[in-house]
Amino acid sequence: MKPIFLFMKRNYKVLLVVLALSVAMWSFIPKENTPDPEKDKLLIELLTFVIEKGHYNPAAIDDTFSKGVYKDYLEALDPSKRFFLQSDIDEFSKYETQIDDQINNKELTFFDLTYTRLMKRMNDSKAYYEEALSSPIDYKKDETISTDYEKLPYAKNEKELKDRWRKQVKLSTLSSLVEKEKVQEEKLKSKDNKDAPKTFAELEKETRASTLKSLNDNFGFIKDLNRDDWFSIYINAISSRFDPHTSYFAPNEKERFDVSMSGKLEGIGARLQKENDFTKITELISGGPAWRGKQLEAGDLILKVAQGNGEAIDVVGMRLDDVVKKIKGPKGTEVKLTIKKPDGTIKVISIIRDEVEIEETYVKSSVVEIDGNKYGIIYLPKFYIDFENKDSRDAGKDVAIEVERLKKEGVQGIVMDVRDNGGGSLKTVVDIAGLFIEQGPIVQIKSAAGKKEVLYDRDAKLQWDGPLVVMINEFSASASEILAAAIQDYKRGVIVGSKQSYGKGTVQNVIDLNQFVRGSTYGDLGALKTTTQKFYRINGGSTQREGVKSDIVMPDKYEYLKMGEKDVDNAMPWDKIDPAEYKVWTKQHNFDLAIAESKARLANNPQMQLIEDNAKWIDQRSKENIYSLQMDKFKAEQKALEEKNKKYKPITDYKNDLKFMSLPYEDEMVKNDTVLKEKRDRWHESLSKDVYVDEALHILNDMQNGSDRKGLTDKVKTEKLVKS
């Protein structure tokens, strides 16, 4: 999740004071070229010093810490257990409780051993897959493969490892071959097709050739990696044991981080992360090509990448950087992704690359009418700000402008949508929350030294006092959670969405390591991102792990998958501090009534029931990791998945009868801007197909008109009396 930049800068200066004392430690470094191992030792010493002095709650570097590093590091080197043998692990295991000692003594024995062995095993593996692809594969043989790598034991010997590679290669070629057959069948149905059909043998040979090319490309990338690249993995295994958000940026990674902070993205407009051997889609950038295509989703796994009509390259097991390089490309060019959906189905998705404009990361709003009442929707993708230019636009100022525009349109309620909003500037959170309360505390912050600070909205002006709904999901994090928590604690609005938000209640600083070294001849040392503060709600509870729990929980197709902070290994714990002084909002008389009516609606909503059923099925599918390698059975499995998936088609086909409209100022803009018009049309279309937005608007309607529903009001009161 994104750091809260305001506090990054402030704590950065504090940390500089602490670390200024360390500069003298490094002044002895000779000016001449020094062997890389010496640079590695320097990095370990520098990183552990910076973390121990600046981290919010640094873990003790002891045997427990050592075991954690050992586990994380080996998983990072060989996540699918296709390289190391059990005999290698037996040899490595003596270092399981010695890594802490090696860190303190600046020793590299464990790293050197694993690095040297990995290079050998990777070289051996090349011969395994080449042999597996050298002759036609028998798809009639009845055998299976498990992709549950976490539970998979290491191969006992080279023979077993060789067979593991054979099966993995067979699974890859089998899925490609089945896809080729489907494509050919579709072509044969076309009246315009003039190509003669290829035989099974021809398709099988083509598939082996393309798979061999993919694997050779993959190993070519690996061969290009140097010792520093592998050492970065070791360093990160150490850093991440302090907490999941503390990490080392090698020089090239720091450069990419700086580019991403500029807000300008190119390619397909999707954020990726590594999950075992797979590359996973974690977020679609609003307005980007992938978002516009509506086929790619968060949670999808990328199996292959093809450039236009070129051969698809297998990217399973490939480094994330290398996968990104293959997906990125010039605007207007085509990239084809072979995707595995969370339900197990495999699809090929074509995307035309484009520039993802920063404009689509800005706030936008729309109006809609229900039962004669007009309501506004404000969508905020992130809490943006330009620290270098106080006069430039930021989320706080922009949301205030949108609220005023909606008021001029006569709206009677506002939906604030921060779903998929990963965070941003803390200052803007305080400003935005302040629009909906008279004045008071918004968030509490505790530093590493134990000092507590309360951030207030000190402006007595109340910009919006009408009904308010805040929409969240499991990807709403950091700043989004602060906003939702403040609105909930004040009982100022209704929080609707996933069972809980992401649960990231920590702040990180990004620190350039080069400033702490004088006279270095090692070149760029990179940077460190480390956790320095923790957020707390005004009621005293942390947002860490627990996030913000919705007042009204709506089913979500990914609700059973482990995707939050609480599911991340080594996440910092939840705790609480003393609450701040604040007064609960008492002017929304239909608050409890609106919640009761919404829950009653959801309980009888077939669309929501279908989403809940789909979520359980996806959870079940995520635990099924055995695939048949016999072609007929594999096809039957895929067909069964596709048939099952048809049951859930109404979820994507859903459409309400609401008409979403732009505000007058935007209507004028789109007259001369066809691109903006297309973007707004697509957004309005997506709103009309969003069952969650539909329910949020009905909640507003209940808050606005609830006093007319005396029968249900009496029911709510009766239930309260019974409970009390």
Side-chain angles (χ1 to χ4, degrees):
M1 296 293 112
K2 302 175 181 66
I4 308 303
F5 304 123
L6 176 69
F7 284 86
M8 282 175 62
K9 288 209 164 189
R10 181 184 301 174
N11 285 289
Y12 178 73
K13 292 177 181 176
V14 172
L15 202 54
L16 279 178
V17 175
V18 176
L19 293 175
L21 302 174
S22 71
V23 175
M25 294 174 59
W26 318 116
S27 60
F28 68 87
I29 298 172
K31 304 272 194 260
E32 64 209 301
N33 289 332
T34 313
D36 278 344
E38 295 304 314
K39 176 184 177 181
D40 296 340
K41 292 176 183 179
L42 169 62
L43 267 178
I44 289 178
E45 187 171 5
L46 182 56
L47 259 70
T48 52
F49 179 82
V50 172
I51 292 173
E52 287 180 335
K53 297 300 180 184
H55 194 276
Y56 179 83
N57 186 25
I61 301 179
D62 54 17
D63 285 356
T64 300
F65 184 91
S66 179
K67 289 179 180 179
V69 174
Y70 177 84
K71 175 178 175 290
D72 291 352
Y73 177 54
L74 291 184
E75 284 182 356
L77 290 185
D78 189 11
S80 57
K81 297 177 181 174
R82 277 191 278 169
F83 296 116
F84 291 132
L85 297 171
Q86 183 59 52
S87 58
D88 297 325
I89 303 303
D90 293 341
E91 187 176 351
F92 299 158
S93 64
K94 69 179 181 182
Y95 294 98
E96 188 175 8
T97 58
Q98 294 182 21
I99 297 174
D100 55 319
D101 302 312
Q102 295 209 351
I103 291 171
N104 291 327
N105 297 326
K106 298 185 287 296
E107 292 180 20
L108 302 173
T109 311
F110 176 60
F111 169 74
D112 287 336
L113 173 63
T114 53
Y115 169 70
T116 304
R117 188 64 50 80
L118 181 66
M119 295 303 101
K120 180 185 184 307
R121 295 302 182 207
M122 283 186 167
N123 190 55
D124 294 342
S125 298
K126 195 170 188 297
Y128 299 156
Y129 74 73
E130 285 177 343
E131 181 178 336
L133 292 165
S134 63
S135 58
I137 296 172
D138 180 7
Y139 293 112
K140 293 182 179 180
K141 184 178 180 181
D142 194 1
E143 57 184 346
T144 60
I145 184 173
S146 171
T147 57
D148 188 354
Y149 302 121
E150 190 174 340
K151 294 179 182 178
L152 197 68
Y154 286 94
K156 296 176 183 177
N157 49 49
E158 290 187 16
K159 181 181 178 182
E160 189 175 307
L161 186 61
K162 185 177 179 181
D163 192 61
R164 186 170 295 182
W165 268 97
R166 180 189 65 79
K167 285 188 174 183
Q168 191 67 49
V169 165
K170 185 176 180 180
L171 177 63
S172 179
T173 55
L174 177 56
S175 62
S176 295
L177 184 54
V178 170
E179 185 61 35
K180 281 180 180 290
E181 285 186 324
K182 282 184 181 178
V183 171
Q184 179 163 278
E185 286 173 12
E186 289 300 317
K187 279 186 177 180
L188 292 174
K189 292 177 184 177
S190 172
K191 294 179 181 179
D192 299 328
N193 179 62
K194 296 179 181 178
D195 297 331
K198 294 179 181 178
T199 64
F200 177 85
E202 289 173 326
L203 291 175
E204 193 276 338
K205 186 176 181 180
E206 280 183 8
T207 303
R208 280 188 290 114
S210 61
T211 301
L212 180 61
K213 184 179 183 302
S214 294
L215 286 168
N216 283 338
D217 286 345
N218 189 11
F219 272 73
F221 284 121
I222 292 173
K223 189 177 180 181
D224 290 340
L225 300 179
N226 57 34
R227 190 178 183 278
D228 287 346
D229 293 315
W230 295 105
F231 189 69
S232 291
I233 295 174
Y234 181 56
I235 284 286
N236 266 303
I238 295 171
S239 302
S240 64
R241 289 317 300 175
F242 289 93
D243 81 285
H245 304 289
T246 293
S247 59
Y248 169 65
F249 289 154
N252 59 336
E253 292 170 335
K254 175 61 167 60
E255 184 179 348
R256 282 191 294 274
F257 177 79
D258 292 338
V259 170
S260 70
M261 296 291 285
S262 70
K264 188 174 182 181
L265 301 164
E266 291 184 352
I268 66 171
R271 299 194 192 282
L272 314 176
Q273 76 175 29
K274 206 68 178 170
E275 186 175 90
N276 293 323
D277 250 13
F278 296 99
T279 299
K280 184 177 183 179
I281 305 289
T282 60
E283 180 187 353
L284 300 183
I285 309 301
S286 177
W291 178 85
R292 294 198 302 267
K294 299 181 182 179
Q295 295 188 73
L296 212 58
E297 298 177 287
D300 289 348
L301 300 178
I302 301 175
L303 305 181
K304 299 182 182 184
V305 180
Q307 310 302 322
N309 293 323
E311 283 288 345
I313 296 174
D314 192 339
V315 297
V316 176
M318 191 179 287
R319 285 204 329 163
L320 181 61
D321 288 350
D322 298 323
V323 178
V324 171
K325 287 176 185 176
K326 291 188 176 298
I327 294 174
K328 287 176 67 176
K331 176 181 177 180
T333 58
E334 181 187 31
V335 61
K336 289 180 181 176
L337 306 181
T338 300
I339 296 296
K340 180 183 177 184
K341 292 287 183 180
D343 60 19
T345 55
I346 296 173
K347 296 183 177 180
V348 177
I349 297 174
S350 171
I351 301 173
I352 303 300
R353 299 180 179 103
D354 199 353
E355 185 175 283
V356 184
E357 298 176 4
I358 194 169
E359 180 64 34
E360 285 306 305
T361 67
Y362 292 149
V363 66
K364 57 188 175 185
S365 62
S366 178
V367 291
V368 62
E369 286 190 18
I370 299 179
D371 298 337
N373 294 324
K374 186 181 287 186
Y375 300 112
I377 299 173
I378 298 176
Y379 173 58
L380 183 65
K382 70 176 182 178
F383 294 83
Y384 50 88
I385 195 170
D386 184 348
F387 287 110
E388 305 305 322
N389 182 3
K390 63 182 178 65
D391 296 322
S392 69
R393 67 187 300 185
D394 66 53
K397 290 186 285 191
D398 286 355
V399 171
I401 291 171
E402 293 304 313
V403 170
E404 283 303 309
R405 286 169 171 166
L406 291 172
K407 284 167 65 177
K408 286 181 181 179
E409 290 302 299
V411 301
Q412 293 163 291
I414 291 176
V415 172
M416 192 81 199
D417 186 356
V418 291
R419 291 176 297 172
D420 301 319
N421 184 323
S425 159
L426 184 57
K427 175 186 180 301
T428 62
V429 184
V430 176
D431 292 343
I432 292 170
L435 300 174
F436 306 111
I437 64 168
E438 291 174 344
Q439 60 183 24
I442 303 300
V443 65
Q444 303 187 91
I445 302 185
K446 190 177 176 184
S447 66
K451 181 182 177 182
K452 187 180 85 169
E453 181 180 8
V454 182
L455 300 188
Y456 290 86
D457 166 47
R458 301 188 183 279
D459 185 356
K461 179 184 177 183
L462 180 62
Q463 194 150 5
W464 177 254
D465 63 356
L468 176 68
V469 167
V470 177
M471 298 184 70
I472 63 170
N473 64 8
E474 61 270 30
F475 299 114
S476 301
S478 293
S480 299
E481 296 175 285
I482 293 169
L483 175 64
I487 297 299
Q488 188 175 61
D489 289 346
Y490 276 107
K491 209 173 181 181
R492 174 61 187 87
V494 178
I495 311 301
V496 303
S498 303
K499 190 178 295 183
Q500 71 165 71
S501 56
Y502 186 83
K504 181 182 179 291
T506 58
V507 191
Q508 287 73 41
N509 293 325
V510 177
I511 303 162
D512 187 346
L513 296 176
N514 297 289
Q515 63 192 305
F516 306 118
V517 183
R518 282 208 305 259
S520 171
T521 58
Y522 297 127
D524 194 343
L525 293 171
L528 175 72
K529 177 164 66 78
T530 187
T531 298
T532 57
Q533 292 178 313
K534 211 170 182 182
F535 290 121
Y536 294 87
R537 303 168 65 132
I538 55 175
N539 71 6
S542 169
T543 59
Q544 177 65 14
R545 281 181 177 262
E546 290 197 1
V548 177
K549 292 178 169 55
S550 296
D551 297 315
I552 299 171
V553 176
M554 299 196 211
D556 184 291
K557 66 188 294 187
Y558 302 123
E559 66 180 287
Y560 295 107
L561 301 184
K562 295 181 178 181
M563 303 175 83
E565 180 87 357
K566 68 182 185 305
D567 304 309
V568 179
D569 182 36
N570 206 35
M572 293 179 69
W574 178 90
D575 64 340
K576 63 185 298 185
I577 60 175
D578 294 333
E581 291 186 12
Y582 64 98
K583 294 181 180 179
V584 173
W585 179 266
T586 58
K587 298 179 182 179
Q588 183 59 60
H589 303 296
N590 302 322
F591 190 91
D592 293 331
L593 172 64
I595 291 176
E597 289 205 341
S598 177
K599 289 181 177 179
R601 259 193 315 273
L602 293 175
N604 296 292
N605 187 323
Q607 185 75 0
M608 291 295 181
Q609 292 169 1
L610 189 61
I611 292 172
E612 174 72 19
D613 186 55
N614 190 27
K616 291 177 180 177
W617 183 60
I618 288 175
D619 179 48
Q620 175 193 331
R621 285 293 310 157
S622 70
K623 297 169 184 173
E624 295 175 7
N625 299 294
I626 304 296
Y627 292 89
S628 174
L629 296 177
Q630 200 270 341
M631 179 167 273
D632 290 338
K633 288 185 178 180
F634 181 84
K635 285 181 177 180
E637 289 171 358
Q638 290 298 306
K639 186 176 181 180
L641 286 174
E642 290 172 4
E643 287 299 316
K644 179 71 173 178
N645 209 30
K646 287 179 182 178
K647 175 184 176 181
Y648 304 113
K649 195 172 184 297
I651 295 175
T652 54
D653 290 343
Y654 173 84
K655 189 172 177 62
N656 56 47
D657 297 324
L658 303 176
K659 183 180 180 182
F660 297 87
M661 300 166 287
S662 290
L663 299 178
Y665 85 97
E666 207 166 63
D667 284 334
E668 290 300 315
M669 292 172 62
V670 298
K671 288 179 180 178
N672 301 311
D673 189 339
T674 56
V675 174
L676 179 61
K677 183 179 187 306
E678 181 189 352
K679 288 178 180 178
R680 289 301 176 263
D681 287 346
R682 286 181 178 276
W683 183 45
H684 293 156
E685 182 187 357
S686 69
L687 289 174
S688 70
K689 300 180 73 172
D690 193 327
V691 67
Y692 304 103
V693 168
D694 192 5
E695 180 58 27
L697 291 168
H698 279 89
I699 293 167
L700 281 182
N701 212 34
D702 293 337
M703 294 169 79
Q704 177 66 21
N705 301 328
S707 56
D708 297 331
R709 299 180 175 89
K710 188 175 183 302
L712 189 49
T713 304
D714 291 340
K715 179 184 176 184
V716 172
K717 289 179 179 177
T718 302
E719 287 177 351
K720 283 188 172 182
L721 287 171
V722 171
K723 289 179 182 177
S724 62

